Amino acid sequence: MDLLGNPNYDDHQEIALRQDPATGLTAVVAVHRYWAGLPSLGGCRLRDYSSGADAFDDVLKLSRAMSYKSVMAGLSYGGAKAVILGSPEPANRQALFRAMGAWVDSFQGRFRTGVDVGITPDDVAIMATQTPYMVGTADLNPAEVTAHSVFQAILTTAKDACQLTELAGVRVCVQGLGKVGMTLAALLSAAGARLIVSDIDRSAVAKAQAQFGARFVAPERAHAVEAEIFSPCALGGVINTQTIDELKVEVVAGAANNQLIDTAMDQALRERGILYAPDYVANCGGLLAVAYQLNKADHQWLWQKVASIESTLHEIYSLSRRQQIPTGVAADTIARRRMADLEHRSSQAA
Ligand code: NAI
């Protein structure tokens, strides 16, 4: 396995592997960047990876993406990530997460982590018995802030693509009515949007139908709904070679990470005249909630950051038009510029 040759290596500043024979813990922490003397942030996930190479691939990709998300949200926290390799239902859950917590503690606060795929708030609570460096344990619900950030992205992108001033009467298809999707549906309903919803969990669908008068679409057809906006809030990879030609919307803007199966889809959306709000810009609310906790900020700070997604998206869409490039490429270009600025300032301060 050529770690340094991995396309997501991108000069990661720290990569650590932990093996704990007592508990069977095998975990990797990757820190893409440390900036401005601040801790680096990223969730901790538990996954049954098919190989060690797969796990390294995932952790590098995710930590790098956190740096991009951070700068585009107007923050200076470097990106990081932790992955635990193993069964989603470990027999010794308590001991495993205590060991992980102790390892997180050994980073002495320069890396901080919290809940991610495969890990519950209870697991975070176990880790937090070993270290004060767990994040996302405050009263504020990160998923709720994410729903607000996605709502802002939908509003801004719809205004841009469909020349709308408001969402009243606009058809929005929300795929996934989980922690983010259900709150987003409530916000959209309050704004007068006409909701079409999809989830494999029929009780969530029934709730959205009862509360918001939403129309149901079968999960496998959600992407193909005729509407102005498609909002993927369930899984990654929903825009792919099978689905792209079936889209009948003007805007794609949602919470799911890695909505595009690959970068070719970015160009494919552009060619079809569909405006795509880059996922890591739209779903930055969760990270903003963590920053709010770390900065001991007030609500005004938080909601201003959420509102500033509008100007960030305008910057992306205008670069995309000027340079005739897909919006994902435009976002990456701006993120890299912001990172270079931060690195320059960090090196001058050192
Ligand atoms: P969640 O696990 O609470 O909700 C996901 C929902 O999608 C569930 O209701 C599930 O039944 C549904 N679902 C699964 N497969 C589906 C399918 N094929 N079709 C339709 N629905 C399906 O997750 P959460 O927290 O709401 O996050 C949603 C997405 O947003 C995830 O991709 C997550 O990685 C991403 N995200 C979440 C953030 C947060 O703050 N929770 C922050 C940034 C990104």
Side-chain angles (χ1 to χ4, degrees):
M1 185 176 57
D2 179 8
L3 186 59
L4 304 192
N6 187 304
N8 295 301
Y9 169 62
D10 190 31
D11 296 328
H12 263 70
Q13 290 185 339
E14 188 167 5
I15 301 169
L17 169 70
R18 175 74 171 169
Q19 294 274 6
D20 178 37
T23 58
L25 172 74
T26 303
V28 181
V29 165
V31 178
H32 179 241
R33 291 292 182 273
Y34 290 112
W35 285 317
L38 291 172
S40 295
L41 306 177
C44 175
R45 66 170 50 177
L46 167 62
R47 205 168 140 186
D48 200 359
Y49 290 99
S50 59
S51 67
D54 227 31
F56 273 105
D57 236 27
D58 203 36
V59 76
L60 293 178
K61 187 157 111 191
L62 292 164
S63 65
R64 179 172 182 257
M66 285 302 293
S67 291
Y68 280 65
K69 187 180 297 203
S70 174
V71 287
M72 293 307 269
L75 301 172
S76 309
Y77 294 102
K81 205 78 185 181
V83 297
I84 300 175
L85 290 73
S87 155
E89 297 296 339
N92 57 341
R93 202 160 188 122
Q94 288 265 346
L96 192 82
F97 282 105
R98 268 200 306 276
M100 185 65 193
W103 191 38
V104 170
D105 196 60
S106 72
F107 287 83
Q108 299 179 316
R110 66 184 186 279
F111 157 65
R112 303 194 190 200
T113 191
V115 75
D116 201 87
V117 177
I119 286 186
T120 67
D122 286 348
D123 300 327
V124 172
I126 297 168
M127 291 193 263
T129 62
Q130 307 298 309
T131 178
Y133 301 126
M134 299 307 296
V135 292
T137 51
D139 292 342
L140 191 69
N141 178 351
E144 209 169 290
V145 186
T146 304
H148 279 273
S149 71
V150 175
F151 179 81
Q152 180 64 68
I154 288 176
L155 186 60
T156 304
T157 312
K159 279 182 184 169
D160 192 299
C162 322
Q163 288 77 49
L164 297 167
T165 51
E166 54 173 21
L167 291 173
V170 173
R171 293 166 300 172
V172 187
C173 177
V174 179
Q175 181 187 45
L177 293 166
K179 294 182 290 295
V180 177
M182 192 63 87
T183 307
L184 174 66
L187 294 170
L188 290 165
S189 171
R194 287 158 61 197
L195 280 174
I196 304 141
V197 297
S198 181
D199 199 296
I200 49 173
D201 175 356
R202 293 306 295 261
S203 66
V205 171
K207 187 174 165 192
Q209 286 176 313
Q211 291 194 354
F212 317 124
R215 181 158 73 79
F216 169 70
V217 59
E220 64 281 5
R221 299 305 298 159
H223 65 275
V225 157
E226 198 165 323
E228 281 72 43
I229 294 150
F230 176 45
S231 185
C233 295
L235 314 162
V238 290
I239 311 290
N240 54 50
T241 47
Q242 274 85 52
T243 58
I244 186 92
D245 286 324
E246 296 187 326
L247 291 172
K248 296 184 196 72
V249 289
E250 294 174 63
V251 165
V252 173
N257 284 311
N258 304 320
Q259 289 161 37
L260 313 187
I261 193 95
D262 55 32
T263 51
M265 291 301 120
D266 200 10
Q267 174 64 15
L269 285 169
R270 184 178 140 72
E271 282 165 4
R272 286 158 181 76
I274 298 170
L275 194 56
Y276 165 61
D279 47 12
Y280 65 84
V281 179
N283 71 15
C284 69
L287 178 62
L288 287 175
V290 169
Y292 162 87
Q293 179 198 346
L294 283 178
N295 294 355
K296 298 186 175 52
D298 57 22
H299 276 122
Q300 198 191 359
W301 177 91
L302 179 68
W303 299 118
Q304 270 174 359
K305 286 279 183 211
V306 171
S308 72
I309 291 169
E310 179 170 13
S311 58
T312 304
L313 286 174
H314 281 321
E315 194 181 342
I316 292 167
Y317 298 153
S318 105
L319 181 67
S320 157
R321 286 197 188 96
R322 268 199 326 275
Q323 297 194 353
Q324 304 282 300
I325 53 176
T327 54
V329 174
D332 286 354
T333 305
I334 295 166
R336 278 195 290 272
R337 202 185 294 151
R338 290 187 184 188
M339 284 193 257
D341 282 353
L342 250 175
E343 263 148 42
H344 180 65
R345 276 188 276 138
S346 290
S347 65
Q348 283 198 324

